[in-house]
Amino acid sequence: MRSSLRWRLFTILAVSVLLAWIATAFFTYLDARREIGTTLDARLVKAAEQISVHLDSAENVSANPQQIRDYTGTMLQVWQRDGSLLLDSSTAPEERLGTQRDGFESTTLKGVHYRIYSQWDKAGRLNVRVAERYELRDALAESVASHLLHPLYFAVPALGILIWLSVGAGLAPLSRFTREVKQREPDKLEPLDLSDTPREVMPLQDALNALFARLQVSLEYERRFTADAAHELRTPLAAIKTQAQVAFAAHDSEQLRHALNKIISGTDRAAHLIEQLLVLSRLDPEQTPVDQQQVKLSAVVKDCVALHAPMAIRKGVDLGLEAGDDGLVLGDATLLAILVRNLVDNAVRYTPADGKVDVRITRIEDGVLLQIVDTGPGIPEKARKVVASRFYRVLGSGEEGSGLGLSIVERIAKLHGASLKFDDGGAGVGLIVTLRFSAVSV
């Protein structure tokens, strides 16, 4: 189950507040303990002084030990200079309270921890010792701390409710943002422009707007592609239908044979167009996975040249291969074969009889050049920027085609990180198509 942002914020805030409150109570307890200790020490000093003054003002002090009843929890012992006990309280232990003659000290008698203050009277005859158990001090400090924690029983639940409501109010713009995106129609790709979008959510809104823009371009591109594909398929299908009607109405075998040949030619053209469309549709996604393997371009080109040799012979075109290097590159052998096949097919198709087509592979520094050089009509410089567009064909060439070959070449080159360039042939005749690949170091 996915975590809730509201629960996450609530938990973080609630735990933070609770820990802060507990830390405050703890340090307040330590401070209260210190203040209580100081106050009780002052009370011991005051009690010792009062007893000393009282003993000094007494005319006769009995030498016999006496005991007084105590109701305050403060213990008292009065010792004479000779070490005999003169006076003690009913709560005082039998042992001497401490060993120090003047000032404060802490000691333990029979497992009980005491805080003791000793003081001599003005005459120096009597030593007054007052003491308290540390249990009293601890009980007072714990009482203060417990009173600080009492509000937690009521404040924490109330604070939790307030935090929950506050987090909900803080996330309200995000909820409205979510509803706005959820309620959008699939074809509504206008940018989001919500006036109350928080600053923290603006990067998400900007990213969605960029995505919408890319989707809009992609959908428009696909609409044009579908319309163009339908238009291109309509032509060979109409021709096939026409020739079928001619064949159906033919009165002699020669006319019938001619119509059937036209039907076969039109079918081949439609099949080629469909094949190119399928290849291009497979290459359309921005991140088409490429099987990165070491491929020898020389082997791919050799197979392609052998495949197109019959076509070149029929046209009287000299088709050759010049491989100065194996052309070892990283890529997909199948896609690279499609790339080379389209380039060689175009070159042979548009090169006139007695023309020449050379495929060259050259190693340059850290790259491999694949060049297809022909003596055909070439491509005007102004058309070279759009020649790789879908269904684009050079006017006046006299050749039939789908206009998709160079689109496929450009896409495969891009997937392999290769650059594609068109130049004039030697002496201003023909065309040189150059692809530069990154070479594999051996």
Side-chain angles (χ1 to χ4, degrees), residues 360-371:
R360 300 169 184 170
I361 299 176
T362 311
R363 178 70 178 261
I364 54 164
E365 298 178 356
D366 59 344
V368 173
L369 291 184
L370 171 63
Q371 291 182 312

Side-chain angles (χ1 to χ4, degrees), residues 74-225:
T74 302
M75 303 166 195
L76 169 67
Q77 288 181 346
V78 179
W79 296 85
Q80 301 185 74
R81 181 171 290 278
D82 58 6
S84 60
L85 179 64
L86 176 65
L87 185 68
D88 68 343
S89 63
S90 60
T91 55
E94 296 179 359
E95 296 83 357
R96 183 188 292 269
L97 288 170
T99 58
Q100 189 167 307
R101 309 288 287 183
D102 282 297
F104 288 99
E105 65 177 308
S106 298
T107 189
T108 301
L109 298 175
K110 294 183 178 180
V112 181
H113 199 39
Y114 295 95
R115 178 69 168 171
I116 304 167
Y117 177 74
S118 301
Q119 177 179 305
W120 287 92
D121 65 350
K122 292 182 179 180
R125 296 180 299 108
L126 303 175
N127 181 246
V128 179
R129 299 191 174 200
V130 289
E132 283 180 340
R133 294 185 178 188
Y134 270 100
E135 293 178 4
L136 173 62
R137 296 166 179 252
D138 294 339
L140 287 173
E142 290 173 4
S143 176
V144 172
S146 64
H147 282 81
L148 287 173
L149 292 174
H150 283 164
L152 287 177
Y153 304 138
F154 307 99
V156 168
L159 189 60
I161 295 174
L162 290 176
I163 291 176
W164 177 262
L165 296 176
S166 300
V167 170
L171 294 177
L174 187 59
S175 300
R176 288 193 293 270
F177 183 86
T178 304
R179 287 196 300 271
E180 172 67 21
V181 176
K182 187 183 295 184
Q183 293 171 0
R184 283 209 159 201
E185 297 295 331
D187 58 344
K188 187 181 179 183
L189 297 175
E190 293 80 9
L192 291 168
D193 186 19
L194 304 178
S195 57
D196 60 345
T197 302
R199 186 167 56 251
E200 292 78 8
V201 185
M202 282 302 298
L204 176 60
Q205 178 174 304
D206 294 339
L208 282 174
N209 287 339
L211 175 62
F212 289 157
R214 292 196 300 272
L215 286 175
Q216 196 163 23
V217 171
S218 179
L219 287 175
E220 183 62 29
Y221 194 66
E222 292 305 318
R223 290 191 189 103
R224 290 200 306 267
F225 174 72

